[in-house]
């Protein structure tokens, strides 16, 4: 196969125009006419995001818009107003994973020795949760803190892994 490097930025600029947090098609694509809004809304762990396909690869709209304006994609992009569907460039800022996860060190109130794992007296089980955009999201509860820590690891990967450089 050819090893010609595909330039995502060039492709985006040739195929889309940005306006008010949306991308509009400059070319017909399948059944999508010129000037149609690109992308669809999908829910990731209860949080709605817009995604679109670029060269048969599904990517986050906010990453594409950021790339278009700044020429690179950071590890993580923060929606400043907390609205995951507001993809206006003024609402997007580069952040590190640690900034986004907030103060990520284990809190001294932690009783389990595992990050994100706490004992729930109401259920008599260990519970795991992550904070995403200031929302507390449960990752389930288990009888042992080790099992719960595994659930936290899996959940954290899902929530924070998608913002790694590999996504675009």
């Amino acid at each position: 196969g050819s090893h010609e490097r595909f330039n995502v930025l060039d492709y985006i600029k040739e195929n889309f125009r940005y306006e008010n947090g949306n991308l509009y098609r400059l070319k017909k694509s399948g059944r999508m006419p010129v000037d149609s809004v690109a992308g669809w809304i999908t829910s990731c762990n209860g949080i709605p995001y817009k995604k679109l396909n670029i060269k048969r690869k599904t990517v986050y709209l906010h990453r594409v818009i950021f790339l278009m304006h700044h020429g690179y994609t950071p590890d993580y992009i923060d929606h400043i107003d907390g609205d995951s569907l507001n993809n206006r460039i003024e609402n997007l800022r580069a952040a590190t994973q640690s900034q986004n996860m907030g103060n990520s060190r284990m809190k001294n109130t932690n009783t389990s020795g595992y990050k994100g794992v706490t004992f729930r007296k109401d259920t008599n089980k260990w519970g795991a949760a992550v904070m995403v955009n200031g929302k507390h999201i449960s990752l389930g509860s288990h009888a042992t803190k080790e099992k719960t820590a595994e659930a936290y690891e899996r959940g954290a990967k899902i929530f924070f892994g998608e913002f790694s450089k590999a996504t675009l």
Side-chain angles (χ1 to χ4, degrees):
S2 132
H3 286 286
E4 186 192 328
R5 176 135 167 69
F6 164 63
N7 187 317
V8 181
L9 187 52
D10 288 348
Y11 179 86
I12 292 165
K13 287 183 169 172
E14 283 161 22
N15 287 277
F16 302 100
R17 70 176 171 83
Y18 167 88
E19 192 184 310
N20 277 331
N22 280 307
L23 291 184
Y24 296 86
R25 293 180 191 285
L26 295 173
K27 300 175 179 173
K28 190 176 179 314
S29 169
R31 286 173 303 182
M32 304 303 289
V34 170
D35 260 353
S36 58
V37 176
W40 65 91
I41 295 174
T42 179
S43 182
C44 177
N45 304 292
I47 300 164
Y49 285 102
K50 268 196 129 172
K51 288 186 172 180
L52 73 156
N53 282 330
I54 289 187
K55 287 279 201 186
R56 293 195 287 278
K57 197 178 165 200
T58 301
V59 293
Y60 285 93
L61 182 67
H62 61 272
R63 294 187 72 79
V64 175
I65 287 172
F66 191 97
L67 174 64
M68 230 176 158
H69 286 80
H70 298 292
Y72 79 104
T73 51
D75 289 351
Y76 183 78
I77 297 167
D78 188 29
H79 288 83
I80 297 166
D81 67 0
D83 177 0
S84 57
L85 292 176
N86 178 359
N87 293 314
R88 285 185 170 80
I89 192 60
E90 304 78 22
N91 192 45
L92 303 177
R93 69 176 164 207
T96 62
Q97 187 171 334
S98 60
Q99 280 170 328
N100 188 263
M101 287 174 78
N103 181 358
S104 195
R105 283 191 304 280
M106 209 170 350
K107 297 183 177 63
N108 57 9
T109 53
N110 185 301
T111 51
S112 68
Y114 292 99
K115 188 169 174 287
V117 175
T118 51
F119 189 73
R120 302 201 27 202
K121 291 188 179 77
D122 58 335
T123 58
N124 233 14
K125 284 184 173 177
W126 294 93
V130 286
M131 285 291 281
V132 178
N133 293 333
K135 292 186 187 73
H136 195 75
I137 294 164
S138 170
L139 300 171
S141 54
H142 303 270
T144 70
K145 56 186 175 185
E146 291 76 16
K147 272 263 181 289
T148 312
E150 286 170 26
Y152 176 83
E153 284 296 323
R154 281 195 305 275
K157 256 196 199 74
I158 293 165
F159 279 98
F160 304 118
E162 72 208 38
F163 300 110
S164 67
K165 286 190 181 73
T167 44
L168 186 68

